[in-house]
């Protein structure tokens, strides 16, 4: 990624910088979305499980967790049995029990993975405005995942049936919000971001983001998920980045993570929803 430690500058080594930015973005995307990377090949493998049992793999386990989450969000914890989960996943019940001891074990593993993803947030300012933009993309990515995962029905069931997990979930979300606030204040003091009410910025983010990526909104406005994720992030950057650095906002390298993120969200949370489309 291009070095902006001596901002404001406009570098001449654009090609080399863009290549480096792409490599760094690809690495970050791979790290941040590995849990959500469910391929068609893996789904096809799961469907062949009955005919040809395969060894346990972490990749397959993560895929099952993602898909089971969508069932819980749709039917509730009590609305679907292990038998029905196995049938929906196209695997045998014995195979399902190789990965998970019970429905409670599934919920706990889903939450542990999600909380671990939130806690992996790495925010620095050692590379100047580059670090700020990288930090914003990390925060935004986690906001997208939270908005997709925190379905009302799922959270209600989590609170009712597993209050300890619900408390841990909310604590993790609160910790990320607090880290964002502290990071933003530091960016304001350093002159990178506008002096806005961080509480209002956070509230706008919390309220608007779930609506912007909802199936109903996307269908009504004929937006692809990629478009919604990219353009809301662009709007957010223009809103918070200081005037001095506005020329840096629209650079393509800042949005490299958006398409892979949209694909992961579609595959994980909306894989059966035809209203949610992605760019081909």
């Amino acid at each position: 990624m291009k070095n902006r430690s001596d901002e404001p500058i406009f570098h001449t080594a654009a090609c080399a910088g863009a290549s480096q930015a792409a490599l760094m973005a690809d690495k970050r995307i791979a790290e941040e979305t590995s849990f959500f990377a469910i391929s068609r090949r893996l789904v096809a493998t799961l469907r062949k499980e009955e005919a040809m049992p395969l060894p346990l793999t972490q990749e397959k386990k993560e895929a099952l967790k993602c898909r089971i989450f969508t069932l819980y969000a749709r039917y509730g914890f009590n609305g679907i049995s292990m038998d029905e989960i196995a049938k929906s996943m196209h695997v045998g019940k014995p195979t399902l029990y190789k990965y998970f001891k019970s429905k409670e074990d599934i919920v706990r593993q889903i939450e542990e993975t999600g909380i671990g993803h939130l806690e992996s947030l790495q925010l620095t300012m050692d590379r100047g405005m580059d670090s700020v933009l990288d930090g914003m993309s990390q925060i935004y990515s986690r906001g997208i995942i939270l908005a997709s995962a925190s379905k009302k029905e799922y959270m209600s069931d989590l609170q009712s049936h597993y209050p300890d997990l619900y408390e841990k979930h909310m604590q993790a979300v609160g910790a990320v919000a607090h880290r964002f606030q502290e990071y933003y204040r530091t960016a304001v003091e350093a002159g990178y971001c506008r002096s806005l009410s961080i509480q209002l910025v956070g509230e706008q983010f919390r309220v608007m983001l779930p609506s912007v990526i909802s199936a109903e909104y996307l269908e009504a406005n004929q937006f692809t998920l990629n478009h919604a994720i990219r353009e809301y992030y662009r709007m957010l950057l223009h809103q918070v980045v200081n005037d001095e650095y506005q020329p840096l906002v629209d650079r393509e390298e800042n949005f490299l993570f958006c398409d892979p993120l949209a694909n992961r969200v579609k595959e994980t949370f909306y894989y059966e929803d035809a209203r949610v489309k992605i760019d081909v």
Side-chain angles (χ1 to χ4, degrees):
M1 189 175 286
K2 287 174 275 189
N3 185 356
R4 301 188 188 106
S5 59
D6 54 345
E7 298 101 359
I9 54 177
F10 296 93
H11 297 277
T12 56
C15 293
S19 298
Q20 182 65 18
L23 289 173
M24 294 181 68
D26 287 345
K27 181 176 183 295
R28 184 175 73 251
I29 290 163
E31 291 172 349
E32 291 200 356
T33 63
S34 58
F35 170 55
F36 308 100
I38 307 171
S39 66
R40 290 186 178 86
R41 175 188 57 77
L42 181 56
V43 174
T45 298
L46 291 173
R47 289 175 176 173
K48 295 177 181 176
E49 184 77 17
E50 295 298 320
M52 186 176 63
L54 295 170
L56 303 177
T57 66
Q58 187 63 25
E59 182 187 19
K60 195 160 77 172
K61 184 175 183 178
E62 299 302 337
L64 283 169
K65 281 195 287 186
C66 289
R67 291 296 171 87
I68 293 170
F69 169 84
T70 65
L71 296 177
Y72 280 160
R74 183 181 306 169
Y75 301 112
F77 295 160
N78 291 333
I80 189 166
S81 66
M82 289 290 276
D83 283 333
E84 291 168 324
I85 289 173
K87 184 177 180 180
S88 296
M89 297 296 101
H90 303 283
V91 299
K93 192 173 179 181
T95 298
L96 191 63
Y97 275 108
K98 289 179 184 178
Y99 291 102
F100 311 107
K101 298 175 182 178
S102 62
K103 288 201 298 181
E104 178 178 349
D105 185 37
I106 296 173
V107 176
R108 291 191 177 278
Q109 291 196 40
I110 288 172
E111 282 299 312
E112 287 173 4
T113 302
I115 290 171
H117 179 65
L118 289 175
E119 292 176 344
S120 68
L121 185 65
Q122 298 180 356
L123 301 176
T124 68
M125 220 164 280
D126 57 349
R127 293 179 292 111
M129 192 61 192
D130 267 340
S131 292
V132 173
L133 292 169
D134 179 70
M136 289 294 182
S137 70
Q138 289 188 58
I139 293 165
Y140 186 72
S141 296
R142 283 161 176 77
I144 291 287
I145 298 301
L146 270 176
S148 303
S150 300
K151 306 294 185 183
K152 182 178 179 180
E153 296 80 3
Y154 175 83
M155 295 305 297
S156 177
D157 268 5
L158 189 67
Q159 185 176 20
S160 298
H161 298 286
Y162 307 104
D164 61 320
L165 290 179
Y166 177 82
E167 184 64 25
K168 289 180 180 179
H169 180 105
M170 298 310 295
Q171 286 177 354
V173 172
V176 169
H178 177 72
R179 290 186 65 189
F180 169 60
Q181 290 179 4
E182 291 302 311
Y183 188 72
Y184 189 80
R185 289 191 183 99
T186 303
V188 170
E189 292 171 1
Y192 298 123
C193 292
R194 301 182 194 275
S195 181
L196 303 173
S197 169
I198 187 59
Q199 290 82 6
L200 289 178
V201 171
E203 185 66 9
Q204 172 191 273
F205 190 69
R206 184 187 69 82
V207 172
M208 283 190 63
L209 195 54
S211 298
V212 167
I213 63 171
S214 69
E216 294 79 10
Y217 180 85
L218 295 174
E219 183 181 41
N221 291 278
Q222 297 185 331
F223 287 165
T224 63
L225 185 59
N226 311 61
H227 178 81
I229 287 176
R230 174 183 288 258
E231 291 311 307
Y232 185 73
Y233 185 55
R234 189 190 308 277
M235 186 187 76
L236 181 67
L237 289 182
H238 277 294
Q239 181 182 17
V240 302
V241 170
N242 234 339
D243 290 345
E244 186 177 359
Y245 301 103
Q246 282 291 319
L248 305 177
V249 167
D250 289 319
R251 292 185 174 184
E252 184 60 27
E253 66 202 65
N254 297 328
F255 304 93
L256 293 175
F257 73 97
C258 292
D259 284 348
L261 179 61
N263 292 337
R264 304 309 188 259
V265 169
K266 167 65 177 177
E267 292 168 352
T268 305
F269 302 107
Y270 297 111
Y271 73 99
E272 288 184 339
D273 198 327
R275 298 172 298 173
V276 179
K277 303 182 186 303
I278 58 172
D279 295 329
V280 178

